[in-house]
Amino acid sequence: MTVPSGEPPKLILPGHTAPTGDRQLHVTNAHGTVQRTITVSPTPRTDPGFYRRLIQGLDPLRQSNRAAMAVSGLGTAALALDVAATLNMGNPFLFYLRRELWKEMSGTLEGSRSDLWRSFFDDITPNWKGLAQQTLQQYVRFNINGLYGQLGKISGAMSSTMHSQYKEVMEYDLSVFGLYAASAPILRTIATMSTHPVGRAALMTQVGLFMSAAGNLVKQFADVFNKHESELNKLELKLNDLRGAFYRSGDPARGARDLHLTDAIADPRLVDEYWVPMNESDAPKSGPPSKKAS
């Protein structure tokens, strides 16, 4: 890819803000001459503001509950649970955005794999034979095709994990808001009668019920956290297996596994020995094999 303005190419990573406006991808040949230009329009994603509006609606309810807790005699313990339950709330849009990014990445990987597969079996196989063609075919079938396939599976699994996390965070936020919306009017009303012994007992009972519900929410958050930590750990193990299959000792810093190619294959004087034109009688009669290498 070349950039006519002389600027270095920019890579957009998941979680980063996509540049505004259209971007152009310049496809060149081996000599650097631009063959065609593809215009890519980034898809804008705007935070709908759900989380911000939820917090704005929750703040007055929390203040009302805290005032009632302070006069109940259980203020310290109740406030601790109040902080723990609300501190664990999060913006579900962040996980929605990552779900979409991983989903797009999965589709891009599959499209690239198909393009590579078709390019080899449509352009190379019908026209060339020889050691270089055979070596390239093995590399495409058993290395590159497998690499794309595994990366596609991991991208799909990451998208599913982010969707599950988005759902869980959304449900947790709504559960917290629902607890405060239901308890605030009751606590506020009973707190006005707390000067009477019966009213104070009723307030302590109601605050106790609130504490129990808040404690269940904290446990719910811990269960969700542990569940998704386990899923991410499984995905990390799959990535380790992938690195082990394609890099020496599983370490990308040590480079890709050796294809054991002879140095002569890169000698321009011997190119005719390794790339042999295909005769019409040698041309394959059928199309490319299935994309899934066996």
Side-chain angles (χ1 to χ4, degrees):
M1 184 179 79
T2 61
V3 181
S5 63
E7 298 180 358
K10 296 181 176 62
L11 178 65
I12 304 170
L13 299 175
H16 290 213
T17 302
T20 58
D22 294 341
R23 288 294 183 268
Q24 291 183 330
L25 176 66
H26 303 279
V27 183
T28 69
N29 59 17
H31 304 288
T33 304
V34 176
Q35 300 296 300
R36 69 181 186 274
T37 300
I38 303 172
T39 301
V40 181
S41 300
T43 303
R45 293 190 179 90
T46 305
D47 191 334
F50 163 82
Y51 181 68
R52 183 178 63 254
R53 292 193 300 270
L54 191 71
I55 295 299
Q56 289 174 348
L58 183 65
D59 283 342
L61 299 175
R62 288 187 69 196
Q63 296 304 322
S64 176
N65 278 16
R66 285 183 169 189
M69 294 172 192
V71 299
S72 69
L74 300 174
T76 302
L79 285 173
L81 286 171
D82 162 74
V83 171
T86 54
L87 191 63
N88 290 330
M89 295 177 66
N91 188 353
F93 175 77
L94 299 177
F95 298 98
Y96 167 84
L97 178 61
R98 284 163 175 77
R99 181 195 72 181
E100 296 301 301
L101 287 171
W102 280 105
K103 184 163 57 177
E104 289 181 3
M105 192 181 302
S106 178
T108 300
L109 284 167
E110 180 58 29
S112 299
R113 180 174 78 156
S114 296
D115 289 344
L116 175 65
W117 190 263
R118 296 297 312 190
S119 294
F120 178 80
F121 285 101
D122 289 349
D123 300 329
I124 303 298
T125 298
N127 300 308
W128 299 95
K129 60 182 180 178
L131 178 60
Q133 188 267 2
Q134 295 172 7
T135 302
L136 181 59
Q137 179 175 169
Q138 292 178 359
Y139 186 65
V140 169
R141 287 173 66 94
F142 301 108
N143 289 71
I144 298 298
N145 187 61
L147 176 63
Y148 271 108
Q150 291 299 319
L151 288 175
K153 290 179 180 179
I154 292 174
S155 299
M158 281 296 298
S159 180
S160 297
T161 299
M162 292 299 103
H163 173 73
S164 180
Q165 187 75 344
Y166 157 77
K167 174 178 174 293
E168 296 286 358
V169 170
M170 174 77 79
E171 290 179 351
Y172 181 83
D173 288 353
L174 292 176
S175 295
V176 173
F177 186 85
L179 172 62
Y180 280 84
S183 61
I186 299 174
L187 289 175
R188 184 167 55 245
T189 301
I190 299 178
T192 61
M193 301 181 292
S194 61
T195 54
H196 191 279
V198 176
R200 185 175 181 81
L203 179 60
M204 293 181 65
T205 300
Q206 195 62 39
V207 170
L209 293 175
F210 172 85
M211 292 173 61
S212 177
N216 287 334
L217 285 176
V218 174
K219 181 181 182 301
Q220 175 186 342
F221 175 83
D223 291 341
V224 170
F225 180 87
N226 290 329
K227 171 187 174 183
H228 289 281
E229 183 70 16
S230 175
E231 291 182 5
L232 291 174
N233 183 66
K234 291 178 182 178
L235 289 171
E236 184 177 1
L237 291 175
K238 290 182 179 180
L239 285 172
N240 289 339
D241 292 341
L242 191 62
R243 283 194 290 264
F246 293 94
Y247 295 103
R248 297 174 182 172
S249 301
D251 184 3
R254 297 190 178 186
R257 293 194 179 278
D258 193 356
L259 295 178
H260 303 292
L261 300 178
T262 173
D263 294 337
I265 202 170
D267 190 341
R269 297 170 300 178
L270 302 176
V271 66
D272 291 339
E273 297 184 19
Y274 293 101
W275 286 99
V276 181
M278 182 77 73
N279 298 324
E280 291 186 5
S281 59
D282 298 330
K285 304 301 181 182
S286 58
S290 169
K291 288 189 297 183
K292 299 185 182 299
S294 57

